Amino acid sequence: MDIVVALKQVPDLVEELEINDEGTGLDPDVLSFVLNEFDDHALEEALLLKEETGATVTVIGVDTTGELDQALYTALAKGADRAIKIVGDFEEGERLPIPVMARLLAGALQQMTYDLVFTGVQAADDLDGQVAPMLAALLNVPHVGVVTSVARVNGVVKVQKEFWGGITADLEVDLPAVLGIQAARQAPRYAPVSRVRQAMKEATIEEIEVEDLPEAPVAPLRRMFIPEVSGRAEILEGDEATIAEKIVDILRERGLIT
Amino acid sequence: MSTYFVIAEHLQGVLTETTFEALGAARNLADATGGQVVGVVLGHEVSELAAQMAAADKVLVVDHPSLAHYSPEGYVKALEPLLQEHRPRLAIFQNTAIGMDLAPYLAARLDWPLVAYCNALRAENGAIVTTSQIYGGKVMAECRLDDGPAMVTVLAGAFPADDGRAGNSPSVEQVTPSTLNGLHTRFLQLNEPETGDVDITKADVIVAVGRGIQSEDNIEVAEELAQALGGVVAASRPVVDAGWLPRTRQVGKSGQKVKPKLYLALGISGAPEHVEGMKDAELIIAVNTDPNAPIFDVAHYGVVADLFDIVDALLETLEK
Ligand SMILES: Cc1cc2nc3c(=O)[nH]c(=O)nc-3n(C[C@H](O)[C@H](O)[C@H](O)COP(=O)(O)OP(=O)(O)OC[C@H]3O[C@@H](n4cnc5c(N)ncnc54)[C@H](O)[C@@H]3O)c2cc1C
């Protein structure tokens, strides 16, 4: 069984985000990137299946940040067998609309053999929709999103899909299929730095070069902005003890403690 | 005349609250632009649900045994020809475990633009202007859909469900689905949430921990504080995914919706998926080291500090 995991980097949301001068996106100069956390889960679920079934795991991504190598080498260090990056004339660090990214990934996948394609159920920047269902539509294969476990049984896969309020469904899906992974069955593993270094020395990342960006329907973005900073919260100031006193006073006033 | 489609969602024979919110959003757009609202219900023996979509002018019911249970493939196969035929100005899906499966798939099949995570929609000189919450709630994006057909997914809690419930009984029309044979996805079973643990939806006081709690061992200090306050410990999704607390403690989109008298959020960023489950709490106090964390937009009181320092200080003060 061949599993392909599509990886993408997104801005690290712990950092302060700034809007570019045109008001059309984030300022790429002040961004640092991390792997989309749901893609990390997608990779973990694929690696678990590799351990259970001997599947091969290929990681692939569109290098929009100029830093995708880092994510790909880390994936190799964790146990992926092969890594591919799609390179082209992208504006470094700028958000690539998801319909475009999906078409680039679909183009690459059509040249490969695969039984399963995993990717994160969503990403912090997928303003124009999630990539997994788009990819499935373009490849004309079934898709299930919000998946929290995948098991191979008799030539098909059994997946668990989450709804809300803790309700889940078990579905059986024929291969090939695309799955949007919400969470792997276990927390994503870490790759020791030494292994990542080793992968950087020994492994090669294959490249697919694209000349022109594919045509895709993209809703015209008018502007991006940071929501009113005022927010609603009244910020409690002081040292820890003072703040604790203030909180306790608020709770007392409301009769939440006596 | 502009037509606004609303794709209904239901599980176990009940329309979701977000379905009514989406209907409310469609109704308001239709009223502003002189358009009509068309509801779509897919399933098996679901005419009753169609009648509940009060704010719709018309409801299309796609009834088929293979739609008796939700499967992404069955739904998109049934919806694609319907959307193709009607080409609505806007098809409104929900940003839920169902809508997130359907809208992007259909957008790619039909080559229509899609805007996700919408929390506001307004008509402006013939265009529809959408506002979306992205980057974990830290950034808003405005798009302009000049003409149709187009699609959106709407966030839970952003549109008035009451407007979706108000109205006369819509006319109901049965639609024969195109071929739903040979599907590659089969429904096996629905699983109810585990029970037996504390029911966080019944608690008056919730001490909720997020990824800022850093390790399983640190859950204990949150437990201690919860006990001192007569409450229970709940968590954001990553804490539950890491196995530090049971699934029953998860607050948010895929977990529980809670409305306690006090929600103390410790080291939770306030991603929309989390906020969905707790924003109606009577009193929200958030502790976070990041002054720009979106949790402060929903909290009543905020503390920009290390959660461990504040928890220790609170335990000391409460002891006095
Ligand atoms: C379909 C779907 C459904 C989802 N359902 C849910 C759901 O039901 N519930 C849910 O919670 N999430 C859900 N999520 C996940 C959601 O998108 C976020 O990833 C999640 O809510 C983030 O959790 P967090 O705030 O704990 O972690 P993070 O976003 O990583 O935030 C951690 C925060 O802790 C702060 N921090 C770090 N150290 C400290 C410290 N020492 N003191 C104080 N603050 C500190 C940081 O500044 C940061 O703001 C869902 C996602 C998807 C795609």
Side-chain angles (χ1 to χ4, degrees), chain A residues 13 126 161-162 168 174 222, chain B residues 97 117 138 142 186 191:
Chain A
L13 299 181
D126 49 15
K161 173 184 173 64
E162 260 189 19
T168 63
D174 295 339
R222 211 153 67 160
Chain B
Y117 310 105
K138 283 193 153 185
E142 220 175 69
R186 290 166 294 281
N191 310 302

Side-chain angles (χ1 to χ4, degrees), chain A residues 194-209:
Chain A
S194 60
R195 277 242 219 108
V196 180
R197 277 213 203 97
Q198 195 185 342
M200 289 170 81
K201 247 193 263 155
E202 291 166 11
T204 44
I205 293 173
E206 297 162 46
E207 288 192 13
I208 298 176
E209 190 147 352

Side-chain angles (χ1 to χ4, degrees), chain B residues 86-97:
Chain B
H86 291 266
R87 301 179 65 79
R89 172 73 179 87
L90 194 67
I92 302 179
F93 292 81
Q94 300 153 49
N95 187 63
T96 58

Side-chain angles (χ1 to χ4, degrees), chain B residues 78-220:
Chain B
L79 280 167
E80 189 183 331
L82 206 61
L83 290 168
Q84 187 73 273
E85 182 193 332
H86 291 266
R87 301 179 65 79
R89 172 73 179 87
L90 194 67
I92 302 179
F93 292 81
Q94 300 153 49
N95 187 63
T96 58
I98 291 180
M100 281 165 67
D101 280 347
L102 308 178
Y105 190 98
L106 290 163
R109 294 287 297 180
L110 297 162
D111 234 359
W112 294 358
L114 164 66
V115 185
Y117 310 105
C118 293
N119 71 350
L121 296 169
R122 65 173 198 278
E124 195 184 285
N125 306 326
I128 293 170
V129 176
T130 62
T131 310
S132 302
Q133 218 176 6
I134 54 171
Y135 296 115
K138 283 193 153 185
V139 173
M140 311 298 287
E142 220 175 69
C143 295
R144 190 187 152 103
L145 297 162
D146 281 316
D147 43 30
M151 298 183 184
V152 291
T153 60
V154 294
L155 291 175
F159 296 92
D162 287 349
D163 294 352
R165 285 202 170 84
N168 306 317
S169 34
S171 65
V172 176
E173 197 178 296
Q174 299 286 331
V175 181
T176 317
S178 57
T179 154
L180 285 174
N181 303 329
L183 293 181
H184 295 284
T185 312
R186 290 166 294 281
F187 170 86
L188 300 175
Q189 64 177 37
L190 209 61
N191 310 302
E192 296 287 342
E194 334 151 23
T195 48
D197 188 39
V198 291
D199 184 352
I200 57 170
T201 63
K202 301 235 162 68
D204 279 339
V205 173
I206 291 180
V207 175
V209 295
R211 194 149 28 201
I213 197 79
Q214 287 158 15
S215 77
E216 183 165 15
D217 296 341
N218 292 335
I219 301 285
E220 212 176 291

Side-chain angles (χ1 to χ4, degrees), chain B residues 28 44 82 106-107 119 149-150 171 224 226 271-272 292 301 311-312:
Chain B
N28 293 334
H44 188 42
L82 206 61
L106 290 163
N119 71 350
S171 65
E224 230 177 288
N292 298 313
Y301 295 96
V311 171
D312 286 347

Side-chain angles (χ1 to χ4, degrees), chain A residues 6-24:
Chain A
L7 301 179
K8 174 169 105 167
Q9 291 166 312
V10 292
D12 189 350
L13 299 181
V14 173
E15 307 281 324
E16 191 166 341
L17 305 180
E18 279 179 36
I19 304 292
N20 63 18
D21 292 339
E22 301 79 38
T24 53

